[in-house]
């Protein structure tokens, strides 16, 4: 049985379902909700400067903190403890590194919310995590 569960949490319905699944499936595990503030890289970074990117990261960090407060409220509603953390970087890389460094047993994450033929595909972040994670990944749809 898993003792340490990492749930990448962005406030989406899929992330909320992943968090609820973690509480139900691993009732005695320590669950951590992780929010990743994405920083523009490569091509997109060329359109910004320190003067524009730094304030945007500050606003995104504040938004992430609010989203994590929602995760804490969800945990409180089902009487489960929840740890939270916020990191800055490229989402899939940060999730993988966090899971590896934190000695997590399992990552539980939501799939991308799509309909029709595209629903058979994972979201790009979920797919990258599934392919590269050092631990088992449960994708909740």
């Amino acid at each position: 049985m898993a003792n340490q569960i990492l749930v990448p949490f962005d406030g989406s319905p899929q992330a909320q379902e992943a968090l609820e699944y973690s509480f139900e499936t691993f009732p005695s595990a320590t669950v951590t909700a992780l929010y990743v503030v994405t920083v523009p890289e490569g091509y997109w970074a060329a359109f910004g400067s320190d003067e524009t990117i730094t304030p945007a990261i500050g606003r995104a960090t504040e938004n992430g903190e609010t989203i994590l407060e929602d995760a804490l409220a969800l945990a409180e509603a089902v009487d489960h403890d929840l740890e939270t953390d916020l990191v800055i970087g490229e989402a899939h890389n940060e999730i993988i590194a966090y899971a590896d460094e934190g000695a997590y047993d399992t990552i539980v994450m939501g799939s991308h919310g799509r309909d029709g033929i595209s629903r058979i595909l994972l979201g790009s972040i979920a797919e990258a995590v599934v392919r590269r994670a050092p631990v088992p990944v449960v994708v909740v749809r």
Side-chain angles (χ1 to χ4, degrees):
M1 184 58 83
N3 294 320
Q4 294 273 98
I5 308 296
L6 178 62
V7 180
F9 193 82
D10 63 2
S12 68
Q14 295 79 18
Q16 291 176 5
E17 289 177 24
L19 191 57
E20 291 169 356
Y21 176 89
S22 298
F23 296 149
E24 293 168 9
T25 307
F26 308 103
S28 61
T30 301
V31 178
T32 302
L34 177 68
Y35 184 87
V36 180
V37 175
T38 305
V39 176
E41 293 184 2
Y43 176 81
W44 295 110
F47 292 104
S49 64
D50 285 344
E51 293 81 28
T52 59
I53 291 176
T54 302
I57 291 172
R59 287 189 302 276
T61 299
E62 290 173 9
N63 183 53
E65 291 168 352
T66 300
I67 288 171
L68 288 174
E69 288 173 12
D70 294 342
L72 287 167
L74 183 64
E76 186 177 324
V78 296
D79 197 31
H80 198 289
D81 291 334
L82 179 67
E83 297 178 4
T84 62
D85 202 358
L86 183 142
V87 295
I88 299 172
E90 190 174 3
H92 69 278
N93 286 336
E94 293 301 325
I95 293 165
I96 292 164
Y98 199 93
D100 193 32
E101 293 166 9
Y104 286 89
D105 302 309
T106 305
I107 299 170
V108 177
M109 63 189 306
S111 65
H112 193 285
R114 294 184 176 169
D115 293 325
I117 190 73
S118 63
R119 73 184 168 133
I120 63 172
L121 302 174
L122 293 175
S124 59
I125 294 171
E127 182 181 0
V129 172
V130 167
R131 289 180 185 263
R132 297 185 41 225
V135 298
V137 179
V138 176
V139 179
V140 178
R141 324 190 287 147

